[in-house]
Amino acid sequence: MSHSELGPVIVTGGSRGIGAASVRALVALGRPVVFSYARDADAADGLCAELTQAGGQVIAIKADVTDPTTPALLFDRCEAAFGTATGLFANAGITGPATKITDLSLADLTRVIDTNLIGCFLTVQEGARRMARGSIVLMSSRAAELGGGGEWVHYAASKGAINAMTKGLARELGPRDIRVNAVAPGLIDTEIHAAAGVGERLVQKRAEVPLGRIGTADEVADTVVWLLSERASYVTGTIVDIGGGR
Ligand code: NAP
């Protein structure tokens, strides 16, 4: 197994959902993980306790991605505890409320862009400064291509920007042996839908999925872990759709 496969990984938004599934999968492979979360300390502490008891190396830090001091904090803690990060999963994101553009408030638009775009950008910027080599995975969404019309064009637009970042940074960082890819999940069973006020959305939309079912956080994590590993050593600048064909 290569060094990079065993090297430490930083995950933003790792306490629940896709982030937590990815943290679990990485730690199970023997990779030390530093993950952040915004509010839910019980979820973060519970995940840490579960993984530490099983012999894993994991640290949770309450640090909002919209705070410009967060990226340096995450990398400092990783370097002090586990060494230089060889992997970064910039996962933290929100949808904001499901709403048409005519009803979207400036406050909600700003919160989504601050979290999904600027928060991700600052995280990856710090990764570009600190990582000597390795792999960065950004969190896009199938919404970037589908557009989110009628419910969250604001969210889709923020994820479209992630796709552009993926392409550009793969070119910029490739010569330094840092790969940059994104995952673009479709309908995945996490709490993000209920948080947007549309908890029933997964049931309503299931018929649109060619595979006929909603995806799981573990199915996304499998791809994230692969992209972060040396098994994806010639893969960069790619946005991997994980949408059951939708
Ligand atoms: P989730 O279940 O709501 O979990 C979100 C995670 O991000 C939590 O750990 C949360 O921490 C953290 N977080 C939220 N805002 C944060 C902030 N400002 N700073 C730091 N951490 C923050 O969401 P999910 O469904 O796993 O989504 C994760 C990513 O996948 C998002 O970027 C989302 O856009 C993307 N995605 C999801 C789907 C889907 O269907 N689920 C589809 C496509 C893309 P707290 O609990 O402490 O707030």
Side-chain angles (χ1 to χ4, degrees):
M1 198 169 283
S2 73
H3 167 74
S4 153
E5 240 170 300
L6 293 172
V9 181
I10 292 171
V11 178
T12 63
S15 59
R16 295 186 291 109
I18 295 166
S22 303
V23 170
R24 276 198 183 87
L26 289 162
V27 171
L29 283 174
R31 295 190 76 160
V33 172
V34 172
F35 74 84
S36 67
Y37 64 99
R39 281 163 292 273
D40 191 345
D42 286 345
D45 293 345
L47 181 59
C48 273
E50 170 199 324
L51 297 176
T52 305
Q53 273 164 25
Q57 294 180 283
V58 59
I59 294 171
I61 302 177
K62 185 172 188 293
D64 199 301
V65 289
T66 62
D67 179 341
T69 66
T70 286
L73 175 69
L74 298 181
F75 279 87
D76 284 348
R77 287 292 296 277
C78 183
E79 282 165 24
F82 304 132
T84 304
T86 56
L88 170 62
F89 180 28
N91 162 73
I94 55 171
T95 60
T99 178
K100 294 188 191 319
I101 191 169
T102 41
D103 297 324
L104 180 67
S105 71
L106 177 59
D108 284 330
L109 174 62
T110 304
R111 196 164 62 91
V112 168
I113 298 298
D114 276 353
T115 306
N116 295 2
L117 175 54
I118 298 180
C120 174
F121 208 104
L122 295 177
T123 305
V124 174
Q125 183 180 48
E126 196 65 19
R129 290 173 177 151
R130 303 277 191 117
M131 291 168 70
R133 60 180 296 274
S135 170
I136 297 174
V137 177
L138 308 188
M139 177 51 89
S140 180
S141 169
R142 286 293 298 138
E145 277 192 36
L146 297 171
E151 46 182 9
W152 41 50
V153 173
H154 49 292
Y155 170 75
S158 75
K159 295 300 188 178
I162 297 298
N163 290 0
M165 277 175 66
T166 304
K167 300 283 180 191
L169 292 175
R171 288 176 184 273
E172 187 167 321
L173 301 179
R176 289 176 42 198
D177 200 16
I178 298 175
R179 296 180 294 104
V180 184
N181 295 285
V183 288
L187 297 163
I188 307 298
D189 187 9
T190 71
E191 294 165 22
I192 203 169
H193 309 277
V198 284
E200 71 292 350
R201 184 170 179 269
L202 290 177
V203 177
Q204 290 169 351
K205 297 264 181 186
R206 188 171 56 198
E208 296 176 11
V209 183
L211 286 185
R213 65 177 178 84
I214 300 305
T216 68
D218 287 338
E219 289 177 304
V220 181
D222 282 343
T223 302
V224 172
V225 165
W226 171 69
L227 287 170
L228 288 171
S229 81
E230 282 299 311
R231 296 199 172 106
S233 55
Y234 204 54
V235 181
T236 195
T238 297
I239 296 142
V240 182
D241 289 348
I242 311 170
R246 175 177 171 269

